[in-house]
Amino acid sequence: MIPAPFGYERPTTVADAIRVLAENADEAKVIAGGHSLLPMMKLRFAQPAVLVDIGNIDELKGIETSGDRIVIGATTTHATVAGSALLAERVPLLAYAASQVGDPQVRHRGTIGGSLAHSDPAADFTAVMLALGASVRATGSSGEREISTDDLFVDLLTTSLEPDEILTSISVPALNGAGAAYEKHAHPASGYAVVGVAAVVKVEGGNFTSARIAVTGATSKATRATAAEQALVGKPANADTIAAAAAQAADGLELNGDVYASAEYRGQLIKVLAKRAITRAAGL
Ligand SMILES: Cc1cc2nc3c(=O)[nH]c(=O)nc-3n(C[C@H](O)[C@H](O)[C@H](O)COP(=O)(O)OP(=O)(O)OC[C@H]3O[C@@H](n4cnc5c(N)ncnc54)[C@H](O)[C@@H]3O)c2cc1C
């Protein structure tokens, strides 16, 4: 399958990339690892007139600390995230989640920014970043802004990024004593989440004092399991509390059914994986 003809630009600065995007209004699209965009172009679901390849922009790569946060450049690959000693020490959940993406080829081409900007309903990092309370930085013709991941994922393959905006980095808060875990039932061929659940919980004085639980694979976009979060906070950190919270993890979610799994099956998987993820995150 061959994509429709397109122009190709390879800027070396974010400013130049934004200029090309703005000049081509809604006709241009950013390409990073190309692991979601190219298949869509080959199927002619996407037909951008111009591709703006951001792979040659050095300022978009890398992982560093900034105060008590970790900042990851948008074009950092999943393989780099998986192998990062800094992340292994400070936010091991990120390195683990990256190691669970697809296969080695996908991990060496796919980027963390591309994964969030694409808002694939079965992606891993969408749920993981929601649970971590991460935010992204976006730069466009009207300047720079910070977007909480709670506000980034709008719908199926749709984010709150403007067409001329580039997601430049992801900022992840320190865990500050919270525990974190991600559990995925992976599609055996692609590795995508049939369902995935990420949990970040804090236990103090024997009680859950904070909880962020996020689900991927089951709904049109990654989403928080707020009923389960509320069922944890203020309660004793034990198996009964976790079982009761996990039983509510699919409450209020509009579940998808498809050839891989029915909505009912996904609902059951959410409960099972939520229980495992919360238990691991709580260290029980
Ligand atoms: C066989 C296969 C298996 C996979 N398995 C998994 C899996 O198990 N788990 C998982 O989570 N993912 C999986 N993926 C997806 C992959 O991990 C990539 O992360 C994903 O394709 C998007 O990243 P990319 O850099 O390739 O983005 P691209 O394909 O280049 O872009 C995707 C979209 O995001 C936009 N975009 C990209 N970067 C930016 C940016 N910085 N700012 C603004 N917009 C941007 C593009 O315009 C495009 O619309 C798989 C992909 C394949 C092909």
Side-chain angles (χ1 to χ4, degrees), residues 21 29-40 54 60 74-75 78 97 100-103 106-107 109-120 122-126 161-162 165-168 184 186-187 189-193:
L21 286 174
K29 244 187 167 336
V30 166
I31 185 163
H35 266 51
S36 290
L37 185 54
L38 286 180
M40 291 186 70
I54 57 171
L60 294 178
T75 58
H78 305 313
Q100 300 303 298
V101 172
D103 52 42
V106 173
R107 292 196 288 276
R109 288 298 307 173
T111 67
I112 192 160
S115 183
L116 298 182
H118 192 55
S119 188
D120 189 295
D124 296 303
F125 273 118
T126 48
L161 290 168
E162 297 295 334
E165 273 185 324
I166 293 178
L167 190 164
T168 53
K184 154 162 98 161
H187 185 282
S190 68
Y192 275 112

